[in-house]
């Protein structure tokens, strides 16, 4: 079982089908396979041996797709770099993983001199952009043109497929080691629910392809023989146009992207009827936003995924039917078919239903460990279970609720205020595009309910109007005492609103 | 990843859902889990240690379901015995696998004295029938009543889950070692196509549960949280009634079972509209029979599977859409999402499209090896590929055609006659229930086209009428020169018509 399996299968079954669409560039399975076999040959010629790491630092493109196939084809190991990192973090991940060969596109080529300075072992830079190749880099297309194809150096399922650095918030990121089986198990497990990644899928890559959320969909759709519609990065206009033009059937988004789409003035001008599945992750979605998204995408089932890189990445899914039930939108869903999920106490034993404990997960998707971090690996993988570090509880139907989200409770004047409730009410205001509610220290109230709001394009609203709107719908003590307006909310690499960041600003 | 994963998941998510239906006996997930934990405790008390083999020799029942879960729960290894074997073969498989504990039902309890004689190491017999427990056996229900539940001794995915003896036609059967990951990979791969085993499935077990064809569906539906409707053995009336009464959604059958169903006089008296998927294997189906089956099951998509025990078991699938295209019914389908399929020459290199070679398969579903047969294992698993021993070719769209079926070609008077073509024509005659066409040695013609026909219940037809019917539809030289009528056709344990047996009779 290798990440290249889907390419071989497609080559055997549908060689002339379109496999990638990127701007005006369209490539069939046969073309992709020929290019991948040449790129793998080029990597070998560049001294990449079995198990060596090859990094990629790039926006989404059809060449990202080829990289994901050519590295395992060459018998090497993927290292898709987080494009949101600082140059210091990028250099750290290259050095930590010993990635001597790096592919960069036009957007990241300017970083190369700085990377070489910080990581002198960087041997070869392959420029996979469409602009002129920088002086100290090799041209991706020239390499393909000048190299003979090689045979696929298939690896067995248990071998290392890639290092996926987690966006650690403290200290330097850790390299999560995932095998081919880890990645395929999660992808097939998610597909097994029938919620999405069905055969014949036309998957839109709008979220960054380096991230496992998108990459997992890439694996499933490649295995099941679908088409990848690729845009360089999330942009509402590009996404709306791509969906309509290429009859996209499935798309992975994070809630802030969904929000941006439904708020876009061009929304109604596009035919989005082809979309049958939307997978979103990183954070729950507020009901008003979900309802607007459902109306905008009438044929789509919505699925929320919870997981982490160490789980390759999916652990639980909140499926389309669950979205129709009240009270479940704040849940992370139920264990996916391939994952066993428990909530345990400090002794490792399961806690009763409804009790908060640590979420732990078992199964063939659980990582091999952290690269060069045996102590961290031992701490995470205890008694055969991956310890997520997330607090949460299970209800009597197996729905998982992550307590980090419960922790967003604000205690103001002795009253408990759940930020998600306030956020839902504020989000229902027609002038609000996005909002986050936090507790900020307050001499009088202990904590004060504070809202940070992004206004919708062209809309205007005052703090007083927001307060009045909120008080009309929920108890007065829950209404934000203070309101700030911002251009955007701080989000993590995975698109999650970083309330920690907001709290720091107002601390 | 363990075979018990689906039980844990169901217990967490749908504890009060019905998990098994057997006659009038219905058990919820919670009840099954409690019984499985007790049965596992009983096995441990009986001295079954980690990795020990536990055999079962029984018709289908809800207790078969419990056995399949309790053995891995106890940390032991399954050995589901082929119920069609002679006592000599059964004793061989028990001795070869060192299965000291055996479960037998009412149908097989009478074999126990003979088994003890041939296999004196047999320590414990657990009687899992509903009649009185024989003197030298323990009662299944008494064991459950008197034992405390134990914790699941989960195994990791790569560990041995079961020994599955193949119905070898020469010499004694070999024990195929399959891991939990092998079994789950094939089941999830098949489910990934969306053809069948969808969430919410109500799967009918009419084919024998010891066989991997049925067992693979059992694994998928258990993982995805469905309901198992179990009948002791295939019987047209029991199957038709169970489908109607329990709103069965999916069913695995072999072509001779499909034939028996569509020929049954009660067919029209049953509402079969709940069936959405029919999986069949072991042999291709003739178009007239398929068309009648499609008419009888108007909401069902038909899927043919090709595989073998060593592949856990699925390699290729011919899906519902393929069934609508002419010329594909004789194909075994295309590689399933989890399997890489090639046709190679004696040197191990792939042969060109359309050329016959040996079918080889790779992926996480490929067996660990043959039990205690290192030389056989090395011969089967070469260069990372499972060598099936089947001859076949691939067409330009990746459809696999098994040449064993082509080998059924008869050369009569210098003309090539394809037996499947003649069989299709004969099967279209209203008085024919089943037929097999073979070549028999003939002094004049070299080979003579010979038909063995099972008449439909209550119908009558002569050899001359069959010949006239055939000649009216295809070339005269293809019509059977001789015709025999029989009560039934010889079939293998997997339900495949044994033409070899027929040829022997007429040699």
């Amino acid at each position: 079982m290798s990440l290249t399996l889907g390419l071989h299968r497609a080559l055997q079954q549908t060689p002339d089908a379109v496999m990638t669409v990127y701007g005006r560039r369209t490539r069939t399975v046969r073309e992709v396979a020929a290019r991948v076999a040449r790129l793998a040959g080029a990597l070998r010629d560049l001294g990449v041996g079995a198990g060596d790491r090859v990094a990629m630092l790039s926006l989404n493109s059809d060449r990202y797709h080829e990289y994901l196939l050519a590295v395992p084809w060459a018998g090497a190991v993927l290292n898709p770099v987080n494009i949101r990192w600082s140059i210091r973090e990028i250099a750290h991940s290259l050095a930590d993983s010993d990635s001597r060969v790096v592919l960069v596109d036009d957007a990241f080529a300017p970083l190369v001199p700085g990377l070489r300075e910080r990581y002198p072992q960087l041997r070869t830079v392959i420029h996979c952009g469409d602009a002129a190749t920088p002086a100290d880099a090799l041209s991706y297309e020239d390499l393909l043109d000048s190299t003979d194809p090689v045979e696929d150096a298939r690896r067995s399922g248990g071998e290392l497929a890639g290092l996926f650095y987690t966006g650690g918030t403290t200290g330097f990121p850790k390299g999560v080691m995932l095998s081919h089986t880890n990645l395929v198990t999660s992808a097939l497990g998610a597909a097994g629910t029938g919620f999405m990644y069905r055969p014949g899928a036309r998957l839109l890559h709008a979220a960054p392809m380096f991230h496992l959320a998108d990459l997992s969909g890439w694996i499933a759709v490649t295995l099941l023989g679908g088409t990848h519609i690729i845009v360089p990065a999330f942009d509402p206009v590009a996404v709306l146009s791509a969906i309509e033009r290429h009859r996209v059937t499935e798309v992975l988004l994070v809630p802030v992207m969904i929000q941006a789409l439904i708020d876009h003035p061009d929304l109604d001008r596009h035919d989005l009827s082809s979309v049958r599945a939307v997978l979103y992750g990183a954070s729950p979605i507020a009901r008003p936003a979900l309802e607007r998204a459902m109306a905008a995408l009438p044929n789509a089932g919505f699925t929320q995924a919870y997981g982490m890189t160490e789980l390759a990445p999916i652990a639980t899914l909140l499926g389309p039917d669950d979205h129709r039930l009240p009270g479940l939108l704040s849940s992370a869903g139920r264990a996916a078919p391939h994952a066993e999920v428990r909530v345990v106490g400090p002794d490792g034993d399961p806690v009763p239903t409804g009790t908060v404990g640590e979420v732990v997960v078992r199964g063939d998707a659980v990582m091999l460990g952290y690269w060069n971090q045996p102590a961290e690996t031992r701490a995470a993988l205890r008694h055969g279970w991956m310890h997520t570090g997330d607090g949460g509880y299970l209800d009597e139907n197996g729905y998982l609720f992550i307590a980090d989200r419960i922790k967003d409770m604000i205690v103001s004047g002795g009253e408990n205020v759940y930020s998600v409730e306030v956020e839902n009410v504020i989000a229902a205001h027609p002038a609000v595009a996005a909002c986050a509610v936090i507790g900020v220290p307050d001499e009088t109230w202990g904590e004060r309910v504070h809202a940070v709001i992004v206004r919708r394009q062209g809309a205007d609203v005052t703090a007083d109007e927001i307060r009045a709107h909120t008080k009309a719908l929920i108890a007065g003590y829950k209404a934000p005492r203070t309101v700030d307006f911002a251009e955007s909310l701080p989000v993590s690499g995975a698109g999650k609103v970083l309330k920690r960041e907001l709290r720091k600003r107002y601390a």
Side-chain angles (χ1 to χ4, degrees), chain A:
Chain A
M1 197 77 112
S2 157
L3 291 188
T4 60
L5 172 57
L7 179 58
H8 290 288
R9 187 169 174 262
L11 191 59
Q12 191 173 72
Q13 300 184 6
T14 53
D16 297 315
V18 171
M19 192 171 206
T20 57
V21 176
Y22 176 74
R24 293 187 188 167
R25 215 150 61 199
T26 290
R27 293 209 166 102
T28 66
V29 172
R30 203 192 299 273
E31 288 165 348
V32 168
R35 289 169 59 84
V36 161
R38 286 170 188 274
L39 177 55
L43 292 174
R44 294 244 195 97
D45 290 349
L46 290 167
V48 173
D52 287 356
R53 278 71 57 202
V54 178
M56 179 135 180
L57 178 59
S58 166
L59 298 177
N60 293 350
S61 76
D62 49 355
R63 292 183 186 129
Y64 215 116
H65 174 84
E66 293 166 0
Y67 158 77
L68 293 170
L69 292 164
V71 170
W73 190 289
V77 171
L78 295 164
N79 178 23
V81 181
N82 187 328
I83 57 174
R84 297 201 176 102
W85 277 343
S86 67
I87 192 163
R88 188 162 148 269
E89 288 166 309
I90 295 170
H92 166 78
S93 92
L94 298 181
D96 185 63
S97 62
D98 192 22
S99 297
R100 308 283 177 107
V101 175
V102 180
L103 287 82
V104 295
D105 67 351
D106 296 330
F108 292 92
L111 293 191
V112 170
L115 285 175
R116 287 197 186 275
E117 196 177 310
R118 285 174 177 80
Y119 174 51
Q121 292 79 10
L122 175 53
R123 195 173 64 219
T124 308
V125 174
I126 299 172
H127 174 251
C128 59
D130 288 309
T133 302
D136 62 346
L138 302 172
S139 153
Y140 184 98
E141 294 296 333
D142 283 356
L143 280 177
L144 260 61
D145 286 346
S146 62
T147 311
D148 286 331
V150 293
E151 287 292 304
D152 185 357
R154 289 173 185 74
R155 314 296 296 262
S156 74
E159 288 180 272
L160 184 62
L163 296 182
F164 300 87
Y165 280 81
T166 50
T169 43
T170 58
F172 274 114
K174 290 174 289 200
V176 173
M177 299 190 289
L178 296 177
S179 70
H180 294 273
T181 295
N182 289 158
L183 290 161
V184 170
T185 296
S186 179
L188 277 186
T193 61
F195 298 157
M196 70 177 310
Y197 304 144
R198 278 164 280 184
R202 300 174 62 79
L203 176 66
L204 178 67
H205 296 276
M209 291 173 76
F210 78 81
H211 195 281
L212 266 179
D214 194 80
L215 197 58
S216 183
W218 177 85
I219 292 167
V221 169
T222 301
L223 269 178
L224 297 171
T227 303
H228 301 277
I229 316 294
I230 304 166
V231 295
F234 178 79
D235 168 81
V237 174
V239 166
L240 293 170
S241 306
I243 290 173
E244 180 173 27
R245 184 166 174 189
H246 302 295
R247 307 298 297 158
V248 165
T249 60
E250 8 237 309
V251 58
L252 175 129
L253 298 166
V254 291
V256 291
M257 294 177 182
I258 295 177
Q259 191 78 49
L261 284 183
I262 57 180
D263 285 343
H264 200 275
D266 287 356
L267 178 68
D268 295 338
R269 283 185 224 151
H270 293 278
D271 174 9
L272 309 180
S273 61
S274 59
V275 179
R276 61 189 187 189
V278 175
L279 190 76
Y280 66 94
S283 60
I285 195 163
R287 184 159 289 280
L290 177 70
E291 278 167 7
R292 281 162 53 213
M294 282 172 152
L297 298 158
N299 299 323
F302 282 70
T303 298
Q304 187 197 151
Y306 161 76
M308 61 198 309
T309 302
E310 288 87 338
L311 299 172
I314 291 171
T316 64
L317 294 168
L318 190 77
D321 288 347
D322 301 328
H323 277 74
R324 287 181 204 106
L325 302 172
L328 284 181
L329 277 193
S330 55
S331 166
R334 304 201 275 190
H338 65 279
E340 194 173 350
V341 176
R342 280 183 167 187
V343 172
V344 300
D347 53 1
D349 287 335
V351 296
T353 297
T355 306
V356 172
E358 183 173 9
V359 180
V360 298
V361 181
R362 239 181 86 108
D364 280 2
V366 172
M367 67 167 182
L368 303 177
Y370 295 110
W371 178 253
N372 284 340
Q373 307 252 24
E376 298 266 9
T377 300
R378 275 193 303 275
L381 300 177
R382 276 172 284 145
H383 321 295
W385 295 85
M386 171 69 205
H387 286 63
T388 66
D390 285 341
Y393 69 91
L394 289 161
D395 77 5
E396 64 279 13
N397 295 310
Y399 286 95
L400 177 67
F401 291 79
I402 298 297
D404 265 350
R405 295 168 191 171
I406 296 166
K407 223 175 53 187
D408 287 340
M409 189 180 75
I410 302 158
V411 185
S412 184
E415 298 278 5
N416 292 345
V417 179
Y418 293 91
S419 58
V420 68
E421 185 188 9
V422 185
E423 285 163 0
N424 280 350
V425 167
I426 296 177
H429 190 285
V432 172
C435 75
V437 168
I438 56 171
V440 297
D442 186 281
E443 290 195 356
T444 311
W445 304 97
E447 278 191 306
R448 183 176 80 234
V449 180
H450 178 80
V452 184
I453 291 173
V454 180
R455 288 193 192 91
R456 242 198 258 194
Q457 214 164 23
D460 205 3
V461 66
T462 66
D464 280 348
E465 283 164 2
I466 290 291
R467 286 170 46 77
H469 163 82
T470 312
K471 284 184 178 175
L473 295 168
I474 49 174
Y477 70 85
K478 295 179 183 174
R481 290 183 186 278
T482 45
V483 176
D484 271 356
F485 294 96
E487 286 298 306
S488 64
L489 298 174
V491 292
S492 74
K496 191 187 294 201
V497 174
L498 291 170
K499 292 208 177 172
R500 211 174 316 195
E501 291 294 317
L502 287 176
R503 286 194 200 98
K504 259 194 240 164
R505 282 190 209 166
Y506 295 98

